[in-house]
Amino acid sequence: MIETYLPLIIMLVFGFGIAVVFMLLSEWLGARRFTPGKVSTYESGMPPRGTARERFSVKFYMIAVSFIVFDVEVVFMYPWAVQLGTLGISAFIAMMFFIAILFAGYFWELRKGGLDWD
Amino acid sequence: MEQNFVYDLIGENLIGYVIVAAMPLMFVLVYALVAILGELKISAWIQERLGPMRTGWKGVLQPIAEVVKLLQKEDITPANVNKPLFNVAPFIMFTGAYAAYAVIPFSSVFVPSGINIGLFYVFAVSAFAIIGIVMGGWASNNKYSLLGAMRAAAQMISYEIPIAIAILAVATLAGSLDMQEIIKQQAGGIWNWFLFGGTGSIAKVWVIPFTFALFLIYFIGSLAETNRVPFDIPEGESEIVAGYHTEYSGMKFAMFFFAEYSNMFVVSAIITILFLGGWQSPFGDFMNGPVWQSIWFISKAMFFVFVQIWLRWTLPRLRVDQLMYVTWKVMLPVAFVAFFAVAFWAMIK
């Protein structure tokens, strides 16, 4: 069982290793000419104003919360999906009941405007 | 469980594992060059240009020239960035992009790692890209990068839900998360592919519109996952310069770039596996040996890579609110309805 995962782990190491090799190659071949303008933050050629470490629109966090709700539900459904053939009709009805509850929340969020971007 | 032709040749030892792990790497490096050339040439033909013509015969050596150019570029780390995160982000993108290849079966006798939760693994590894993007965008300490990263994260997590439901529907049809098992269930020609409801009697025709809908949902979602047009808002150059990789240069930029191309193939391969029979020949047993299978698999996947390039040079970009409208208010309910139908069919058949 664990042997099937070995190539997978080796591949993760390989992927990282290749990235390191490319970085070292570019360190070796790349130019290095320092100018102060080069290391300043890019803001379309204007002198940068302030930093990017400021408060951010809450809309993105709303999306993240909705995502957590749906994604966790969907992940829970994977074992059920694989075993559906053996579990039969009662498991199917149970899961549809669960999805119905999930969708009650979805429609509530829709009506409250939680999914509107503007 | 899965037979792997490399193990038959050298035995199941460490050398075998390393060779198995290295083979997709060869493929990815060649594929990346082909995809870059394809992007340049197809965009040129669509716009009635010739594209690169000077490097080699009709410009076929252009991608190699690009790689050499990127290697020679200066690697600039701006003064205000958060250095550890800024430097780690491209590595996460690159490693995550390559890790997904571990479970992609190129033929019935070759899959790098035949784990029985392959589909779930791909779903998990695709989240690496989001972490890499947010990390790079935030660490850049640049307003464009931050906005691009936040948009990318919002877009990618939103589209992950319809995608997850499409994968779930196929899992109910196949009764497995093992890639090879899913493909084996689609044996026997084009009519048995999950795009057409899988194997079954003629009674399956009613489910075909639903599997087709799931196929389209997966394809649209995968465009958003790889940040390709029409969902390239995170990189919308007219608004936020280059999005999350604005501050990256040289090889670090190349890694983000490579990860995008690599992910294009991964999502195309997953579409092929889930809906188009993976390495199965469209003619049943005709032209269906191990070598043919890899030819079929790569051609099907490359067709979808081509479609992605084609769309990029054809469609305009969506607005952020349109993007969110499509996923949350259209694709999510449609995906659930289609999933309901497909799960019902999977249970009664």
Side-chain angles (χ1 to χ4, degrees), chain B residues 197-234:
Chain B
T199 49
S201 59
I202 195 69
K204 75 174 183 178
V205 286
W206 69 269
V207 86
I208 290 175
F210 297 107
T211 49
F212 222 87
L214 288 167
F215 166 74
L216 284 178
I217 282 168
Y218 189 92
F219 182 65
I220 295 168
S222 65
L223 287 176
E225 286 278 295
T226 50
N227 296 328
R228 296 288 295 187
V229 171
F231 302 108
D232 67 334
I233 294 161

Side-chain angles (χ1 to χ4, degrees), chain A residues 4 38-39 44 49 106 116, chain B residues 74 79 113 143-144 328-329:
Chain A
T4 45
K38 208 182 257 178
V39 296
S44 307
R49 278 168 163 269
Y106 170 78
D116 295 330
Chain B
E74 182 177 358
S113 178
K143 287 156 202 129
Y144 298 128
W328 287 105
K329 295 186 182 171

Side-chain angles (χ1 to χ4, degrees), chain B residues 1-228:
Chain B
M1 185 169 67
E2 247 68 55
Q3 55 164 336
N4 211 324
F5 78 94
V6 178
Y7 297 150
D8 295 340
L9 292 176
I10 356 180
E12 224 174 315
N13 49 33
L14 196 64
I15 303 169
Y17 290 140
V18 170
I19 290 174
V20 163
M23 278 173 71
L25 190 68
M26 303 299 138
F27 173 78
V28 174
L29 293 177
V30 173
Y31 152 76
L33 296 178
V34 172
I36 293 168
L37 183 70
E39 182 95 57
L40 291 168
K41 278 293 186 186
I42 292 166
S43 69
W45 293 330
I46 286 174
Q47 297 171 340
E48 295 204 61
R49 292 183 286 120
L50 286 172
M53 290 296 279
R54 302 214 173 195
T55 37
W57 179 77
K58 302 242 180 216
V60 287
L61 296 178
Q62 187 66 29
I64 295 168
E66 306 256 352
V67 170
V68 173
K69 179 197 75 178
L70 280 167
L71 275 174
Q72 290 175 332
K73 288 275 177 187
E74 182 177 358
D75 179 30
I76 304 166
T77 309
N80 291 327
V81 301
N82 183 321
K83 285 210 173 57
L85 291 181
F86 185 82
N87 289 327
V88 165
F91 288 95
I92 289 184
M93 287 290 282
F94 193 93
T95 312
Y98 183 56
Y101 285 84
V103 293
I104 292 179
F106 284 87
S107 155
S108 62
V109 293
F110 183 73
V111 54
S113 178
I115 58 176
N116 56 3
I117 49 161
L119 211 48
F120 201 65
Y121 169 82
V122 167
F123 186 55
V125 162
S126 69
F128 266 53
I130 304 175
I131 296 171
I133 286 174
V134 173
M135 210 183 238
W138 184 83
S140 293
N141 200 355
N142 177 320
K143 287 156 202 129
Y144 298 128
S145 298
L146 181 65
L147 199 52
M150 292 299 264
R151 282 185 181 184
Q155 167 181 329
M156 287 164 93
I157 61 177
S158 299
Y159 279 82
E160 205 158 288
I161 298 164
I163 281 184
I165 297 164
I167 293 176
L168 196 64
V170 174
T172 59
L173 272 179
S176 174
L177 294 171
D178 185 336
M179 297 285 204
Q180 294 283 37
E181 183 59 32
I182 290 168
I183 295 172
K184 278 176 196 148
Q185 300 226 356
Q186 304 179 62
I190 197 165
W191 184 241
N192 287 343
W193 290 355
F194 283 147
L195 179 62
F196 299 106
T199 49
S201 59
I202 195 69
K204 75 174 183 178
V205 286
W206 69 269
V207 86
I208 290 175
F210 297 107
T211 49
F212 222 87
L214 288 167
F215 166 74
L216 284 178
I217 282 168
Y218 189 92
F219 182 65
I220 295 168
S222 65
L223 287 176
E225 286 278 295
T226 50
N227 296 328
R228 296 288 295 187

